[in-house]
Amino acid sequence: MSITWLKNTTEYGIANLNLNSLTLNTNASAHFDDAYRFLIGIDDNKNIIIKSLNRNEYELGKHDKDTIFEFQKAKTYTRISSKTLMSNISDYCNIKLDKENKKFKTFYDYNENNLVILLNEKEN
């Protein structure tokens, strides 16, 4: 008999988006322990991609400063607060953001070393 043991955690994380910020829960934040800044982009499927930069990568200056975002990390979440970023996400991805959080699933892409926010997988 084959048994699959179940985990006490989920394989995916949650991202909350609103007019002012993007907040990642503990699972979504787990891969950013050495992060100093973030790069944030949109892929062809209109998913949000978050790439972390450590301090050395940031200080090399290879990335345009307008594409680099600061964040606040707490024990249970990571938050990027930027009205401009959220407005750009809303416009580019055709998502209506307001004061209330919209929740989306995330997963970590180990091949690309990026966090992917799946905008087509809204959580309730």
Side-chain angles (χ1 to χ4, degrees):
M1 169 171 49
S2 176
I3 298 173
T4 301
W5 298 109
L6 303 177
K7 295 181 180 180
N8 194 22
T9 61
T10 60
E11 293 294 321
Y12 62 90
I14 299 293
N16 292 296
L17 281 65
N18 63 44
L19 280 175
N20 301 312
S21 65
L22 186 160
T23 305
L24 306 172
N25 74 351
T26 305
N27 284 357
S29 300
H31 302 281
F32 298 135
D33 289 338
D34 69 340
Y36 183 69
R37 297 285 191 269
F38 288 143
L39 294 172
I40 301 174
I42 307 293
D43 70 8
D44 293 337
N45 296 318
K46 302 227 180 199
N47 295 316
I48 300 170
I49 308 298
I50 300 177
K51 178 170 184 60
S52 68
L53 299 175
N54 63 33
R55 188 176 190 114
N56 290 337
E57 291 168 324
Y58 171 75
E59 289 176 350
L60 287 173
K62 290 183 177 182
H63 303 282
D64 181 350
K65 289 189 178 191
D66 289 338
T67 63
I68 297 173
F69 293 88
E70 294 183 3
F71 61 91
Q72 299 81 42
K73 186 157 174 69
K75 187 175 181 179
T76 59
Y77 66 89
T78 299
R79 179 170 294 136
I80 304 156
S81 299
S82 170
K83 288 182 180 182
T84 303
L85 170 67
M86 300 315 294
S87 176
N88 288 339
I89 289 171
S90 178
D91 292 344
Y92 193 87
C93 297
N94 208 18
I95 295 175
K96 183 173 171 31
L97 297 175
D98 52 34
K99 292 179 182 178
E100 298 297 319
N101 282 329
K102 292 189 180 352
K103 296 182 179 189
F104 299 93
K105 285 185 179 180
T106 71
F107 74 92
Y108 195 80
D109 182 340
Y110 289 94
N111 293 326
E112 299 293 329
N113 291 323
N114 296 325
L115 182 77
V116 180
I117 301 174
L118 301 167
L119 294 181
N120 63 344
E121 294 207 27
K122 195 170 178 185
E123 281 288 296
N124 294 328

